[in-house]
Amino acid sequence: MLILYHNCYSFCIDDSTANYLDDFGRYLQRPLNFWYLPATKRQQINLIRNRMLYLLENNRSIYEQLLARKDYSAFEAKQETILKIYQWLQTLPHEPAVKSEIDINQWKLDLKSQFGHLLLESESAAPELQKVFKKLPPFDFHQILTGVDEASRKQKFQRLIAILLKEQWISPCKTEGIYLFKNTGTGARLQLAALYFTLNKHGHIQQRLTAPRVAALFNSWLSHSIPRESFIKIFQAEQQDTFNCGAHKPRFKYVQDCSLLLRDL
């Protein structure tokens, strides 16, 4: 939305952004197929579009306040807007808005799990923000996976564990729920980076998180000897992009192996 608005604002004549939100609402009402994307990706895109339309129709002022700021695209502006959306959702009935196909409770959970850690880590986080997100429940790896509900995401994670056990990537530890990564060689970090890249490429990842957060989620169930900074680095966007390569590149084999590994996930 901000990209569209920025383009409109930059090239407008005679303040033609005045009706931007009306035009944006009509755009959101039009169904988009995205036939070239996996079904799970299409579902996630349409979910976000439906939520944006619901917000526009029921609390337009949040959009107006954001776009009225000169720094509307700044990190701080986005933070404050997310907080306002979350606080507004807290005032709504707990029952899903069936007519609009919006599940308010799930929306709140998604905001907390996807943005809570970013807001807490920010040095400029407002005190109110800290109060809202301070008591976040633990964020588990299965929650970043795609699925129609919590149960299906947990089942997918258990299938992933079963596959990795069968292929001897991991082995059980004495601590329940923790697994030992058996590759201790020089390619260990690339193997895990390719695993995450392939999960995302095949449409199994529904939330894009920061590299430290992804590393923390892996560490919640995987025991390995990869140095912390090196482990975090492999999940950075620029590092993940290097796996999107041709067959002549060394990293292609890692992705190919992971694609075969996850074919039945």
Side-chain angles (χ1 to χ4, degrees):
M1 184 203 73
L2 290 177
I3 292 173
L4 290 173
Y5 179 75
H6 182 77
N7 291 341
C8 184
Y9 184 83
S10 300
F11 298 103
C12 70
I13 299 175
D14 298 330
D15 193 25
S16 60
T17 60
N19 298 319
Y20 171 77
L21 288 178
D22 294 329
D23 293 337
F24 187 59
R26 286 189 286 272
Y27 163 74
L28 292 174
Q29 289 173 344
R30 294 196 298 268
L32 296 179
N33 187 20
F34 297 115
W35 57 267
Y36 48 87
L37 295 177
T40 53
K41 289 288 186 182
R42 293 199 303 268
Q43 292 169 2
Q44 184 66 15
I45 291 172
N46 285 320
L47 174 64
I48 294 172
R49 286 168 55 85
N50 289 338
R51 286 175 176 176
M52 294 184 76
L53 180 59
Y54 185 83
L55 177 62
L56 184 59
E57 292 176 340
N58 294 277
N59 197 346
R60 184 186 178 104
S61 64
I62 288 183
Y63 284 99
E64 292 173 337
Q65 291 169 15
L66 172 62
L67 299 180
R69 298 176 57 144
K70 292 183 178 180
D71 65 338
Y72 55 80
S73 63
F75 182 70
E76 292 77 10
K78 297 173 185 176
Q79 279 185 303
E80 292 178 20
T81 301
I82 291 168
L83 174 59
K84 289 176 182 177
I85 294 173
Y86 182 82
Q87 290 176 331
W88 172 65
L89 292 175
Q90 292 283 69
T91 68
L92 300 181
H94 295 297
E95 295 79 12
V98 178
K99 184 177 180 181
S100 62
E101 300 181 350
I102 295 294
D103 187 331
I104 301 300
N105 290 331
Q106 188 59 50
W107 192 352
K108 289 188 290 187
L109 287 173
D110 289 345
L111 282 178
K112 287 196 293 185
S113 63
Q114 189 170 0
F115 297 111
H117 63 284
L118 294 176
L119 297 168
L120 284 174
E121 290 170 3
S122 172
E123 294 180 355
S124 60
E128 318 87 71
L129 200 68
Q130 297 284 349
K131 293 178 182 178
V132 170
F133 291 98
K134 189 174 182 180
K135 296 182 179 180
L136 284 176
F139 192 38
D140 297 320
F141 191 88
H142 76 269
Q143 290 177 271
I144 68 170
L145 300 177
T146 53
V148 295
D149 54 26
E150 186 80 355
S152 64
R153 288 189 284 271
K154 286 183 178 180
Q155 289 175 1
K156 178 174 286 190
F157 178 61
Q158 291 306 315
R159 290 200 302 272
L160 174 62
I161 293 296
I163 290 171
L164 296 178
L165 285 169
K166 180 181 178 182
E167 298 299 324
Q168 299 186 357
W169 278 43
I170 60 176
S171 60
C173 290
K174 292 182 179 179
T175 305
E176 184 179 355
I178 302 297
Y179 300 87
L180 176 66
F181 185 50
K182 299 179 71 173
N183 186 349
T184 58
T186 56
R189 60 190 297 274
L190 293 179
Q191 196 172 30
L192 290 176
L195 177 64
Y196 181 72
F197 172 83
T198 308
L199 283 169
N200 193 31
K201 182 180 179 181
H202 289 190
H204 296 303
I205 301 293
Q206 71 167 341
Q207 297 190 27
R208 298 295 298 272
L209 303 178
T210 60
R213 188 59 170 170
V214 175
L217 287 173
F218 268 97
N219 288 335
S220 69
W221 61 273
L222 189 66
S223 175
H224 58 84
S225 58
I226 304 171
R228 179 178 179 275
E229 292 303 320
S230 179
F231 191 56
I232 291 175
K233 185 178 179 180
I234 64 174
F235 299 115
Q236 292 175 351
E238 56 270 24
Q239 289 292 319
Q240 287 287 297
D241 287 343
T242 62
F243 288 93
N244 190 20
C245 59
H248 61 288
K249 296 290 185 179
R251 297 192 177 193
F252 178 81
K253 186 179 184 304
Y254 288 98
V255 177
Q256 190 177 42
D257 290 345
C258 288
S259 294
L260 292 174
L261 186 78
L262 302 175
R263 63 185 181 276
D264 297 324
L265 185 61

